[in-house]
């Protein structure tokens, strides 16, 4: 496990923890622009008020929400707001389990995200904020899930090894012995997002890992396979609603 302490712009100050399959931020929350990420996000609000808005224009205060992949949303944090935000790898069992809490018709609605959290989270999730309680909660989400197609699993396992350069679906499909069209279908059907979105998520995770080790923004971008820091910035804004300076460049090693 690696921990990062963020000292970015006001409203975004806290600790980011990287563990296999998830990235967790805990601390003072700020606001974001509209975005849609590849991760399954869990939002837990601890103090003050945080509002979520969706692509349909609905906006309301929330205490907890589960936001699925590709759901466009924005975060509006009031002064003094603190929260925990957990980004789960869509290929992981925890993300797959939580996604089942979402009604198909409410996938892109803030009301559905709140209802999913109400169904999935124990009543103590907001009241108890210690790292031990959070770890137990996360491990509880990683319940056994129906077996994923073995070739899709092999492809997902192979992606992190290829991030330093271009990763083409055709080449990945050849490596696992499947047609590109079939593999692309599996990414969408079983992970809930197309392969390019999954690849962007994998690159952003790698950039965060490199930043934690002390890499500059440019070094993190190149090491994760982005063309340059501008490419990383565009992708980060698209998927998190924030510039990477708030997520990567300004983070420093800390304690978990």
């Amino acid at each position: 496990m690696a921990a990062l302490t963020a000292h970015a712009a006001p409203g975004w100050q806290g600790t980011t923890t990287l563990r296999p399959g998830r990235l967790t931020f805990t601390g003072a929350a700020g606001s974001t622009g509209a975005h849609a990420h590849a991760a399954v996000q869990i939002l837990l609000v601890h103090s003050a008020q945080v509002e979520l808005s969706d692509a349909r224009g609905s906006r309301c205060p929330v205490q907890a929400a589960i936001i699925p992949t590709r759901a466009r949303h924005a975060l509006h944090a009031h002064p003094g707001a603190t929260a925990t935000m957990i980004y789960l790898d869509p290929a992981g069992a925890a993300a797959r389990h939580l996604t089942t809490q979402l009604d198909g018709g409410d996938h892109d609605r803030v009301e559905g995200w709140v209802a999913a959290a109400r169904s999935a989270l124990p009543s103590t999730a907001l009241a108890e904020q210690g790292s031990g309680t959070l770890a137990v909660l996360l491990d509880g989400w990683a319940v056994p899930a129906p077996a994923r197609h073995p070739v899709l699993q092999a492809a997902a396992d192979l992606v992190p090894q290829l991030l330093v350069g271009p990763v083409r679906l055709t080449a990945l499909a050849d490596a696992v012995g499947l047609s590109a069209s079939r593999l692309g279908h599996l990414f969408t059907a079983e992970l809930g997002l197309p392969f390019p979105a999954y690849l962007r998520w994998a690159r952003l995770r790698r950039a965060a890992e490199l930043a934690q080790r002390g890499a500059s923004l440019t070094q993190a971008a190149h090491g994760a396979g982005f063309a340059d820091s501008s490419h990383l910035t565009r992708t980060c804004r698209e998927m998190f609603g924030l510039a990477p300076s708030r997520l990567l460049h300004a983070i420093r090693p800390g304690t978990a």
Side-chain angles (χ1 to χ4, degrees):
M1 177 174 64
L4 316 174
T5 301
H7 303 291
W12 288 106
Q13 298 184 26
T15 299
T16 300
T17 303
L18 293 171
R19 294 187 62 182
R22 66 182 182 244
L23 182 155
T24 303
F25 170 86
T26 300
S31 298
T32 71
H35 62 287
H37 40 62
V40 174
Q41 181 184 354
I42 295 88
L43 169 65
L44 305 174
V45 178
H46 304 311
S47 64
Q49 184 170 296
V50 172
E51 296 174 297
L52 275 178
S53 59
D54 60 32
R56 301 189 182 198
S58 296
R59 174 171 169 167
C60 65
V62 300
Q63 282 191 297
I66 296 173
I67 306 170
T69 60
R70 296 194 290 171
R72 194 159 182 81
H73 62 284
L75 191 73
H76 315 276
H78 292 215
T82 60
T84 294
M85 300 175 199
I86 305 148
Y87 299 90
L88 295 171
D89 188 327
R96 297 173 71 197
H97 170 66
L98 289 178
T99 300
T100 65
Q101 305 297 318
L102 290 154
D103 181 85
D106 286 337
H107 182 275
D108 60 351
R109 299 179 66 91
V110 64
E111 295 88 351
W113 308 337
V114 172
R118 189 179 301 118
S119 297
L121 305 181
S123 58
T124 56
L126 297 179
E128 300 181 21
Q129 301 173 28
S131 59
T133 300
L134 179 59
V136 171
L137 184 61
L138 290 170
D139 291 341
W141 284 334
V143 297
R148 183 178 296 114
H149 194 293
V151 176
L152 174 63
Q153 187 63 60
D157 291 343
L158 186 58
V159 166
Q161 305 173 37
L162 306 174
L163 293 178
V164 71
V167 183
R168 294 181 175 85
L169 181 60
T170 51
L172 185 62
D174 286 343
V176 297
L178 201 67
S179 70
S181 60
R182 176 59 176 157
L183 183 58
H185 171 77
L186 287 174
F187 269 97
T188 301
E190 297 201 19
L191 301 186
L193 71 164
F195 174 70
Y198 182 80
L199 180 60
R200 288 193 293 273
W201 162 249
R203 291 197 191 282
L204 284 171
R205 272 192 53 85
R206 174 62 59 82
E209 292 168 356
L210 294 173
Q212 184 272 331
R213 298 173 192 168
S216 68
L217 191 62
T218 298
Q219 290 169 334
H222 289 160
F226 291 101
D228 50 34
S229 59
S230 295
H231 185 196
L232 170 59
T233 295
R234 291 194 303 272
T235 303
C236 196
R237 286 189 180 278
E238 289 170 1
M239 296 193 70
F240 289 98
L242 295 168
S245 59
R246 296 199 177 184
L247 295 176
L248 307 178
H249 186 66
I251 56 182
R252 296 292 183 267
T255 56

